[in-house]
Amino acid sequence: MSLQEVAQDAVQVNAEVQRVWDACLAAIHNRVTSLSFKTWFQPIVPLKLVHEELTVQVPSQFFYDWVEQHYNSLIRETITSVLGDNARLYYSIAADESPAEFDPLPQSAVVSNQRRDAQSASAPSSFLPRSAFRQTDQLPAQSNLNPRYTFDNFIKGDSNQLARAAALAVANNPGGTSFNPVVVYGGTGLGKTHLMHALGNHAIAMGKTRRVVYVSSEKFTIEFVEAIQADRVNEFSHFYRSVDLLIVDDIQFFSGKEKTQDNFFHTFNTLYQLGKQIVLSSDLPPKELKGLDERLISRFQSGLTADIQPPDLETRIAILRKKSEDNSFELPPDVIDFIAANVTSNIRELEGCLISLIARASLDSRDVNIELAREVLRMIVNDVKSPVNIDQIQRLVCEFYDIPEDLLRAKTRKQEVVSARQIAMYLAKELTNSSLKTIGLHFGGRDHSTVIHACQSIQDRLGNDSSFKQNIEQLRRRIEMSGR
Ligand code: ADP
Ligand code: MG
């Protein structure tokens, strides 16, 4: 076959896979909402077709998980109807450069994470046992690293700057900096585990270190106990004492486990003396850890300790932007701002919110707007003040002052009604994102200048009258509680 003929064939093959995929899309189009179609099917790229085996590329692991969870049977039926009973579907993930063998996927949901060109995508979804993908020469055996967590997808911010910089320095030169050990501490969902994996993955990618092991303190403890029971403590100790870079996540769980701590103490010392790198994470600064041997704590403090704080607003916005981009999901800027302003505690919750939002929009065929974001927020974020609406505020204000609700919207100029109306307007302005115009409309179609005037006069009264101020504070708390 001449080169030209080969090229010709390749073009035909491409046309064929595109034709097959187009047929699938046409069938799918009729069965899902247009938002779902746009969000979950249009971004899929058909890559190759060999006999009845179709390989498609999805933008990210998250995307794959989602599609697999929600559209598995639809896709399978469609492929079978287009390609026949022997049809098989293979996924390839564009964002990841390495196998996802450590992904917590259920047995049936196997995905092949091939390289971008996906020359050899090989894992039929749901057909092969997961263990078939454990073999890989890309990561040393038992590193336990999750390739999905990288520095590239770790958003930098003031809140994590030092921890990230330390992790990167150590990943570039394990054992070769004065940062040994590195201890990263911070609250839950702030990115410690992400950073630990990113560090290990980067160290391997740099090729400067051979044996990298990531382990959680719980896993370390369980393995140690098993080793004792099986009379294999030497083997256990040898394994952890012969690594070049040891990453132990969540060391607070060593608390109270004296024997494990003792073993870890010796592991630590051996590695340290050999100039090997140790990296630890914890939910508290080492000196505040309870139930840990003083010897260990002083070892932990001998290197660099860096904290991760809750992300500031800019970082939260950047994270939401990046995650929605990575998942080919378009999030209007005002929705991003709204979520970022409300979900302040941690990044896991931010992600949860984004995923729920995508789910709701896609499955209920709704537009992604502030309204929907508000609903989603209320469902998943329990320590955030849920937004309240104007009707609720009116109801509670009238209850508080014991006046009929419709008077707020009527023309009445009786003193106590005017006062309640102004208070409700003021609280609507304070507690909702509604515009002055919208607020006015809720009060019998009053003008926005009336709302401004109301807010102004309430503010004046708050400044002059402390018992009035107490009442308003009490009301505000009631309204906020009612939204939860
Ligand atoms: P922790 O171990 O501190 O409880 P994780 O590392 O598990 O937190 O992070 C929770 C989630 O938030 C993960 O999905 C992680 O990828 C994500 N995440 C945390 N920090 C960042 C960041 N700076 N940029 C991007 N994603 C992040
Ligand atoms: Mg963690």
Side-chain angles (χ1 to χ4, degrees):
M1 221 192 226
S2 74
L3 256 184
Q4 219 167 16
E5 283 169 325
V6 172
Q8 189 71 38
D9 271 10
V11 170
Q12 274 169 8
V13 167
N14 281 340
E16 176 67 3
V17 64
Q18 190 64 52
R19 193 188 61 72
V20 165
W21 183 241
D22 285 346
C24 293
L25 281 185
I28 290 169
H29 201 197
N30 296 327
R31 296 182 53 187
V32 298
T33 65
S34 73
L35 180 66
S36 307
F37 187 75
K38 203 171 146 226
T39 307
W40 302 111
F41 294 97
Q42 275 183 353
I44 298 179
V45 181
L47 286 181
K48 109 180 148 158
L49 182 68
V50 179
H51 306 300
E52 287 95 23
E53 294 176 353
L54 174 65
T55 305
V56 296
Q57 187 182 59
V58 292
S60 67
Q61 179 68 40
F62 170 80
F63 194 104
Y64 164 77
D65 291 344
W66 184 271
V67 166
E68 190 43 48
Q69 210 179 337
H70 293 89
Y71 300 110
N72 188 18
S73 48
L74 171 65
I75 295 179
R76 224 153 284 281
E77 275 167 38
T78 309
I79 302 274
T80 309
S81 75
V82 173
L83 284 173
D85 285 344
N86 291 330
R88 284 189 160 202
L89 180 64
Y90 298 73
Y91 287 97
S92 154
I93 295 179
D96 287 354
E97 290 279 319
S98 43
E101 55 173 340
F102 297 103
D103 287 343
L105 293 176
Q107 279 280 339
S108 65
V110 174
V111 63
S112 80
N113 272 13
Q114 301 297 328
R115 289 179 174 274
R116 225 170 270 280
D117 57 14
Q119 281 307 299
S120 55
S122 60
S125 161
S126 304
F127 292 111
L128 281 184
R130 193 164 143 59
S131 57
F133 305 95
R134 295 224 172 255
Q135 307 300 326
T136 168
D137 55 9
Q138 301 205 4
L139 296 176
Q142 292 175 300
S143 75
N144 294 331
L145 288 168
N146 185 337
R148 273 162 68 186
Y149 294 131
T150 62
F151 281 111
D152 277 350
N153 59 23
F154 188 84
I155 305 285
K156 258 192 285 187
D158 288 348
S159 51
N160 59 36
Q161 201 181 8
L162 178 62
R164 182 187 170 279
L168 193 57
V170 162
N172 279 324
N173 195 2
T177 68
S178 52
F179 310 147
N180 205 10
V182 166
V183 183
V184 172
Y185 75 89
T188 179
L190 296 182
K192 301 183 296 294
T193 296
H194 187 137
L195 205 53
M196 297 292 109
H197 284 281
L199 191 162
N201 286 323
H202 189 79
I204 290 177
M206 295 301 288
K208 286 212 181 138
T209 181
R210 241 171 21 87
R211 298 206 53 220
V212 177
V213 170
Y214 165 94
V215 68
S216 67
S217 66
E218 290 121 307
K219 184 158 183 269
F220 187 93
T221 304
I222 292 170
E223 285 180 4
F224 177 62
V225 171
E226 282 173 0
I228 294 177
Q229 285 162 353
D231 199 14
R232 291 168 69 175
V233 174
N234 281 344
E235 218 172 296
F236 171 85
S237 303
H238 177 73
F239 175 81
Y240 283 106
R241 290 171 201 178
S242 55
V243 304
D244 302 312
L245 166 56
L246 177 63
I247 304 169
V248 186
D249 206 356
D250 289 324
I251 52 170
Q252 70 272 14
F253 295 123
F254 277 144
S255 163
K257 310 200 173 82
E258 284 169 27
K259 279 199 156 165
T260 312
Q261 283 183 36
D262 188 56
N263 184 286
F264 184 66
F265 179 72
H266 292 295
T267 300
F268 187 105
N269 287 342
T270 306
L271 291 176
Y272 188 82
Q273 277 152 19
L274 292 170
K276 307 298 187 184
Q277 182 71 46
I278 303 150
V279 179
L280 310 167
S281 89
S282 160
D283 66 346
L284 287 173
K287 63 174 184 303
E288 288 174 30
L289 286 171
K290 300 267 177 317
L292 245 64
D293 193 333
E294 277 305 320
R295 298 182 300 174
L296 267 181
I297 292 183
S298 85
R299 288 287 186 287
F300 295 164
Q301 287 177 306
S302 63
L304 177 82
T305 303
D307 64 335
I308 302 191
Q309 292 293 328
D312 53 29
L313 183 67
E314 283 72 29
T315 312
R316 298 199 297 275
I317 291 177
I319 287 171
L320 284 170
R321 277 208 194 119
K322 170 100 174 86
K323 304 239 169 199
S324 53
E325 241 172 62
D326 285 355
N327 293 295
S328 334
F329 186 74
E330 243 176 76
L331 215 51
D334 61 333
V335 172
I336 292 197
D337 291 351
F338 178 73
I339 299 175
N342 278 283
V343 184
T344 53
S345 53
N346 71 51
I347 297 168
R348 192 173 293 130
E349 226 158 52
L350 264 189
E351 278 187 344
C353 189
L354 181 65
I355 290 172
S356 299
L357 192 63
I358 299 179
R360 285 290 288 275
S362 174
L363 300 177
D364 304 348
S365 169
R366 309 250 314 254
D367 278 345
V368 181
N369 54 27
I370 300 265
E371 258 327 294
L372 187 65
R374 212 169 255 172
E375 282 174 37
V376 167
L377 269 185
R378 195 171 299 174
M379 281 190 315
I380 64 162
V381 180
N382 47 22
D383 57 350
V384 149
K385 277 183 235 149
S386 294
V388 283
N389 61 39
I390 301 176
D391 297 340
Q392 245 169 314
I393 293 175
Q394 292 181 330
R395 185 169 56 74
L396 288 162
V397 169
C398 288
E399 226 174 77
F400 194 82
Y401 289 105
D402 196 21
I403 57 169
E405 228 184 292
D406 50 355
L407 289 188
L408 290 186
R409 292 179 285 273
K411 291 224 155 44
T412 318
R413 299 193 59 96
K414 269 169 85 178
Q415 185 48 42
E416 73 259 31
V417 177
V418 172
S419 169
R421 192 185 289 135
Q422 289 188 334
I423 291 168
M425 284 180 174
Y426 165 82
L427 289 170
K429 174 79 185 46
E430 289 281 296
L431 300 176
T432 74
N433 284 348
S434 309
S435 66
L436 296 170
K437 188 167 168 223
T438 307
I439 296 175
L441 287 175
H442 274 77
F443 288 82
R446 288 180 156 80
D447 194 68
H448 79 279
S449 60
T450 311
V451 183
I452 296 178
H453 174 72
C455 295
Q456 193 53 56
S457 70
I458 296 300
Q459 236 140 24
D460 292 347
R461 279 174 77 184
L462 287 172
N464 299 328
D465 181 344
S466 62
S467 81
F468 178 73
K469 189 170 173 193
Q470 268 175 8
N471 282 346
I472 299 299
E473 280 316 310
Q474 199 181 341
L475 242 177
R476 180 202 291 267
R477 272 196 302 278
R478 262 191 215 183
I479 294 167
E480 283 175 350
M481 292 305 288
S482 79
R484 280 168 199 239

